Amino acid sequence: MRVLGIETSCDETGIAIYDTEQGLMANQLYSQVKLHADYGGVVPELASRDHVRKTLPLIQAALQEANLAAKDIDAVAYTAGPGLVGALLVGATIGRSLAFAWNVPAIPVHHMEGHLLAPMLEDNPPAFPFVALLVSGGHTQLISVTGIGEYTLLGESVDDAAGEAFDKTAKLLGLDYPGGPLLSKMAQQGQPGRFTFPRPMTDRPGLDFSFSGLKTFAANTIRGNDSDAQTHADIARAFEDAVVDTLAIKCKRALEHTGFKRLVMAGGVSANRTLRSKLAEMMEKRGGEVFYARPEFCTDNGAMIAYAGTVRLHSGAAEDLGVTVRPRWPLSDLSPV
């Protein structure tokens, strides 16, 4: 069974082909970072137009990479939400049209389920049950996962997502868009302990997050100190440590709450080396395991959509001729497999 995956939820056009016997056969990705850099963030209309230009050529490139023809594809999976509605409509319309033309099923995929299942593409995939930390520019969530589609939300950010806070703080430090990875790189040169940032919402029970206050704290710290490179690196280090510690504290609470021994982290921020190191150390002390995808599968990509689509296809999921996307779509709405 070969499934073509199409990801167009935001500012990356991702196309991949997954085979149930051979695994990942093709993976093509185009990033719009340069397109949006001058604006300091994603411009939805520009994103949609660029997806229109790039999706079909990338599909052709993926077929060539896998040495396949259209007749060799058994289903088309596409991101149906959550995301930017215009960008989603591009992928959904192309995916549904190709499925109709090729007479194969069309499978709508939840973007965050794609991220959650991305570690399944690795050689050592996690077994159920586990706690999942979904951490990206748009989401910060802790989820109890007992099976495919069996998701219970344990906690989430009440304001900015962790990745969003990274990008906003990076902008305050004068870094280019997208600033999160650049802030992390700057933090490696920072002196630990010179500045101390709060660990928000860790002084009270619960599993929710709040990161908007850290951005304000960073802004005040930047204004109140010299603007030399070392000071900025020290502030970046303090900010990153605060976010990583907060995520680790909440993950520990979630593991204690569920009694699970496995932790999965997914989403763009899961590529952060400091976060990976912190959670690996924590899980080793607890006698458990932490799982995550390779860095290129942490950010948006077609491989995770192709894989999630394959899983959903086996459960009988398929769309009719209508094209429907959901800019807002809770994971809890998904049916179990």
Side-chain angles (χ1 to χ4, degrees):
M1 182 74 68
R2 297 190 183 104
V3 176
L4 173 73
I6 302 173
E7 157 59 27
T8 64
S9 66
C10 191
D11 60 343
E12 273 100 18
T13 310
I15 307 295
I17 299 172
Y18 184 83
D19 185 281
T20 50
E21 295 183 0
Q22 301 181 55
L24 190 63
M25 298 185 69
N27 184 46
Q28 297 285 325
L29 182 69
Y30 173 79
S31 174
Q32 301 177 1
V33 165
K34 292 182 179 179
L35 175 67
H36 301 288
D38 290 342
Y39 304 95
V42 178
V43 181
E45 179 64 21
L46 294 180
S48 301
R49 292 180 183 182
D50 216 35
H51 287 309
V52 171
R53 287 190 288 265
K54 299 297 183 182
T55 302
L56 286 176
L58 285 176
I59 290 173
Q60 293 173 339
L63 289 170
Q64 290 176 359
E65 180 186 348
N67 196 26
L68 299 174
K71 63 180 177 61
D72 300 314
I73 300 300
D74 299 300
V76 179
Y78 59 88
T79 302
L84 302 175
V85 63
L88 290 169
L89 281 169
V90 174
T93 302
I94 292 175
R96 192 63 197 83
S97 299
L98 288 177
F100 175 72
W102 296 345
N103 194 29
V104 297
I107 308 139
V109 171
H110 193 292
H111 180 74
M112 297 312 294
E113 182 173 52
H115 275 304
L116 190 152
L117 297 179
M120 301 294 185
L121 292 164
E122 302 303 323
D123 293 334
N124 180 34
F128 300 110
F130 55 78
V131 169
L133 171 66
L134 297 183
V135 56
S136 67
H139 297 81
T140 305
Q141 298 178 329
L142 280 168
I143 298 170
S144 168
V145 182
T146 54
I148 303 292
E150 299 175 11
Y151 310 132
T152 302
L153 181 65
L154 302 174
E156 62 184 339
S157 180
V158 299
D159 42 54
D160 290 355
E164 184 180 3
F166 263 99
D167 287 340
K168 288 180 176 179
T169 302
K171 188 173 183 179
L172 293 172
L173 289 167
L175 300 174
D176 292 334
Y177 171 85
L182 297 177
L183 185 149
S184 294
K185 185 176 181 180
M186 176 185 283
Q188 294 175 14
Q189 308 302 318
Q191 175 184 340
R194 178 181 173 187
F195 297 101
T196 302
F197 279 40
R199 275 57 174 164
M201 297 184 72
T202 60
D203 59 348
R204 67 193 76 173
L207 295 170
D208 286 336
F209 302 91
S210 172
F211 293 109
S212 64
L214 277 179
K215 177 199 66 179
T216 303
F217 195 95
N220 292 335
T221 304
I222 293 167
R223 282 196 296 266
N225 289 274
D226 296 332
S227 59
D228 61 279
Q230 187 58 52
T231 297
H232 276 192
D234 295 344
I235 292 172
R237 175 65 180 267
F239 173 83
E240 182 177 66
D241 285 347
V243 174
V244 167
D245 284 352
T246 300
L247 293 172
I249 290 168
K250 293 302 178 88
C251 284
K252 181 180 178 182
R253 288 184 186 177
L255 291 163
E256 291 172 347
H257 173 76
T258 59
F260 297 163
K261 297 294 185 181
R262 287 175 287 272
L263 174 67
V264 167
M265 61 172 178
V269 182
S270 69
N272 183 283
R273 293 181 180 180
T274 304
L275 178 60
R276 290 190 174 202
S277 177
K278 183 77 173 183
L279 294 183
E281 180 184 355
M282 181 189 77
M283 294 306 292
E284 184 177 0
K285 290 180 179 178
R286 294 180 59 83
E289 293 181 274
V290 61
F291 300 84
Y292 38 74
R294 70 196 76 168
E296 58 264 38
F297 292 163
C298 292
T299 52
D300 294 349
N301 63 87
M304 68 183 192
I305 303 304
Y307 178 81
T310 302
V311 172
R312 286 287 163 184
L313 179 63
H314 283 299
S315 71
E319 281 283 297
D320 56 21
L321 285 176
V323 176
T324 303
V325 297
R326 298 181 62 177
R328 297 182 181 275
W329 189 5
L331 264 172
S332 56
D333 287 357
L334 294 178
S335 58
V337 173

